[in-house]
Amino acid sequence: MTETVIPAVSLQGVTKKYGTFQALTNVSLTVAKGERVVICGPSGSGKSTLIRCINQLERHDGGKIIVDGAEIGAHGTRLPELRREVGMVFQHFNLFPHLTVLRNCTLALTRARKMPRAKAEEIAHHYLARVRIPEQADKFPSQLSGGQQQRVAIARALCMNPQVILFDEPTSALDPEMIKEVLDVMIDLAQGQMTMICVTHEMGFARKVADRVVFMDRGEIVEAAPPEDFFNSPQNERTRLFLGQIL
Amino acid sequence: MTFDVDFALSTLPFILKGLFTTLWVTVASALGASILGFVFEVLRRTSRVMGLLMRFVIDAIRSTPVLVQLYFLYFVLPFWGVVLPALVVGVIGLSVYYSGYLAEVFKAGIDAIPRGQTEAAKAIGLTRLDVIAFVIAPQMLRNIAAPMGNYFVSILKATPYLAVIAVPEMLGSALDIGSRTFRYAEPMLVVGAIFLVLAVAIGQGVRWLELRLLASAKR
Amino acid sequence: MTFPNILAGIFEGFGVTATVTFYGMLYAVPFAFGAGILQHFTRGWARLAVTAVIEFWRSSPVIITLFVMYYTLPSFGLTLSGMTVGAMALGLNIGGYGSQAVRAALQSLDKGQVEAGLALGLRRWEVLGLVELPQAFTAMLPSFVNQFIQLVKGTALVSLITLTDMTFRAKELSQLSYDPVGTYTGLLVAYFIVCYPATILGRMLERRVSTPARGLHDL
């Protein structure tokens, strides 16, 4: 008996337009379970659009997106159920300012997973400890620093125990001294076999934890390779140009 | 005919009985208008077509007098076989009229919330209703407590319109006294004074609440 | 009676509706500017007095002030025509709201504008007329349009003090034709025709002055 390994996420020829602007052109990418993929590229290259399509915050116009074996947008798939399996961490945290840190983490558990409050809080405390801020549970987001807020956002995503977690430039809005504390948490996650797709400019992070680095430009995937090959011997001219600018 | 203070005071108990109806109608209509207005506003955001349709509905409601809307409901509903007590017709009328204004207030309150809030709420897998109930509505309410309160005061001030469809609120009671005694001046002035006190008091209450909310928002 | 006939019959009252609106404006506009500017300039007790006058007209329900004036003033020896009472009660109420738009617009201007005007050697009232009001005017416009709509709709009230406006005509027609559905639908349509263009204009003006939304929340 052969065991077919279902990839965590599979994109097949995905396209996306905003009016006449072609944001994504024929993008194909398969991410295996447990794989860590870093997506980089100049601004406007479609990186954010790509991962926002995976949890359908943006609707794609063409091609297939398959998450954990189920095609998105196919008849019968409901978005809330998909999104419970796909965690997301945003550039600007997007914590809910009217709720405590703890409630930010438990909201989806109690509402979407119908979990009793006490059980949900237990899980939330567990992940808050994992992102190293167990003591902030009863504060409101505005009382925390940017780095702490982003770690709460990561805990919030982890609480749902997602199949895959998407990071959309998680450190871009942070002051330099706070970037490390967030990256440390992400490295810790990567070592724990979580499937991760990260849009980031942190090339040190990519080198350290990525299984594959994907370079995008003008809505296309230009190159995808393991970090050693990607950084040491990039194949494409555009990749070399980009690396030359940021390294 | 001269103004008779003793007579004015003697009308007070009867008019105060109308006050109960006035307050009851205000609360019920404020609730009805809020719910209906919120539904309009949420529907407006579901799709492009609904957006245009709901905007037309809201604008149409705001382009006709509340008095005429009340007449319409009062005289036309029975013709269609819907017979309701005047009080209920009045509450429905005020609810519909002010839902048009509250929908606009809710719109402003939601527009002031950063877009990332809806995105984050969707991203953690909340259903549409949960996004609205747990993320959008609470933040919206904090943004609009003051204008919403002001419209509740407006609803209070619109309750005397119900006198024209024979609801015995305060103005209705005063007109009642007038038609029985042929003295309108005294009961009218009493009603006017009570409304002025109520409107100013509630208006101040709204302002006080606004300041408190502003203070707590800085938390 | 066909629907166009009904509509034509209702519009026979348009002249009265328009006249009350026009006279109402004669009270509303000067009161709005006068009271708004005074409130902007005065301090202490003077300001309290101005505010009290504004609040009186704003806080009293317009239907009540209308009835109080109509029924009470004669017993103090002052008999005014229905038209005058209607225009005054509606106009001063709307003017009270308008004064807040004037004051808010004046207060939102940069203080440097006044200082620059004074530094040029202009007198204070010249600064007001040449520098402050022209700039503040755009900010007042949306509110003025909305208040104008409130005034037009408010004129329906004068049908209650026996003026033959559109609403009064509709009530007559309804009794003559035994067709409440047709006449009251016609009356809603009539006001819609008059007010809807202003509602659209108000929306356009509002979009020009208001800050853009922080997020389009598709719910």
Side-chain angles (χ1 to χ4, degrees), chain C residues 85-171:
Chain C
V85 168
M88 264 180 84
L90 288 164
L92 293 175
N93 176 256
I94 295 298
Y97 281 99
S99 72
Q100 297 312 289
V102 172
R103 194 214 54 201
L106 285 173
Q107 284 180 340
S108 67
L109 284 181
D110 183 5
K111 295 253 184 306
Q113 291 293 313
V114 177
E115 290 172 0
L118 293 174
L120 288 173
L122 295 175
R123 283 177 245 271
R124 189 63 191 84
W125 61 268
E126 289 172 323
V127 173
L128 177 71
L130 297 171
V131 179
E132 292 178 274
L133 283 177
Q135 292 185 62
F137 195 64
T138 28
M140 300 172 198
L141 264 186
S143 173
F144 281 1
V145 171
N146 287 333
Q147 293 311 323
F148 175 77
I149 298 167
Q150 296 298 340
L151 177 60
V152 177
K153 292 192 295 182
T155 60
L157 281 173
V158 299
S159 67
L160 301 176
I161 55 171
T162 68
L163 294 188
T164 53
D165 73 327
M166 297 203 295
T167 306
F168 193 91
R169 293 284 307 157
K171 284 199 279 188

Side-chain angles (χ1 to χ4, degrees), chain B residues 62-63 101 113 118 157, chain C residues 58 150 153 199 203 217:
Chain B
R62 300 196 311 160
S63 296
Y101 290 90
I113 304 170
T118 340
K157 291 193 289 180
Chain C
R58 248 163 50 98
Q150 296 298 340
K153 292 192 295 182
T199 303
R203 263 196 198 286
H217 298 268

Side-chain angles (χ1 to χ4, degrees), chain A residues 7-245:
Chain A
V9 175
S10 170
L11 308 171
Q12 298 168 10
V14 173
T15 58
K16 167 79 187 168
K17 272 186 186 171
Y18 294 109
T20 57
F21 177 71
Q22 187 85 32
L24 294 177
T25 311
N26 198 21
V27 172
S28 296
L29 177 71
T30 301
V31 179
K33 281 182 181 162
E35 194 180 11
R36 284 134 322 208
V37 174
V38 165
I39 303 176
C40 61
S43 61
S45 60
K47 329 174 282 273
S48 284
T49 307
L50 181 70
I51 64 166
R52 287 161 63 86
C53 279
I54 294 174
N55 71 349
Q56 290 287 287
L57 286 179
E58 306 282 354
R59 211 155 286 187
H60 57 298
D61 301 321
K64 280 186 182 180
I65 299 177
I66 300 164
V67 175
D68 200 24
E71 182 178 351
I72 299 169
H75 213 63
T77 51
R78 287 189 61 237
L79 285 182
E81 275 142 31
L82 159 80
R83 288 168 177 153
R84 283 166 212 166
E85 303 307 324
V86 182
M88 183 156 197
V89 177
F90 298 85
Q91 181 178 358
H92 295 287
F93 330 139
N94 295 349
L95 293 177
F96 305 129
H98 60 300
L99 303 177
T100 62
V101 164
L102 189 66
R103 189 72 182 120
N104 262 278
C105 294
T106 57
L107 181 63
L109 287 174
T110 56
R111 296 302 308 173
R113 293 232 197 273
K114 308 284 176 215
M115 193 178 275
R117 189 86 167 233
K119 181 93 199 300
E121 288 182 357
E122 194 182 310
I123 292 173
H125 280 299
H126 170 76
Y127 285 110
L128 285 172
R130 177 124 184 233
V131 299
R132 299 162 205 177
I133 36 173
E135 72 286 357
Q136 312 285 10
D138 296 322
K139 289 193 179 163
F140 284 91
S142 59
Q143 294 170 298
L144 305 185
S145 72
Q148 289 173 321
Q149 289 191 47
Q150 191 61 300
R151 286 187 279 152
V152 172
I154 293 172
R156 178 173 72 178
L158 288 175
C159 279
M160 295 300 282
N161 192 22
Q163 300 287 318
V164 50
I165 182 161
L166 312 170
F167 290 84
D168 188 2
E169 305 205 23
T171 55
S172 300
L174 293 175
D175 293 332
E177 71 271 20
M178 292 168 186
I179 291 176
K180 188 176 176 300
E181 66 187 54
V182 171
L183 286 180
D184 284 347
V185 167
M186 289 170 65
I187 290 166
D188 179 48
L189 266 186
Q191 282 154 359
Q193 296 308 306
M194 172 59 79
T195 311
M196 294 165 73
I197 304 177
C198 308
V199 171
T200 182
H201 295 294
E202 295 294 332
M203 290 302 125
F205 171 78
R207 235 183 245 278
K208 192 160 182 179
V209 305
D211 297 308
R212 238 184 327 158
V213 182
V214 173
F215 173 67
M216 287 186 73
D217 191 19
R218 293 176 224 158
E220 294 172 319
I221 292 184
V222 175
E223 188 163 352
E228 312 88 73
D229 301 342
F230 183 85
F231 289 111
N232 300 335
S233 53
Q235 302 297 304
N236 191 292
E237 181 55 34
R238 280 194 267 171
T239 317
R240 279 196 285 272
L241 207 68
F242 176 73
L243 289 176
Q245 281 164 355

Side-chain angles (χ1 to χ4, degrees), chain C residues 53-71:
Chain C
V53 173
I54 293 171
E55 281 302 313
F56 172 79
W57 288 105
R58 248 163 50 98
S59 297
S60 309
V62 63
I63 183 175
I64 300 285
T65 40
L66 183 79
F67 276 30
V68 167
M69 288 170 80
Y70 187 72
Y71 286 112

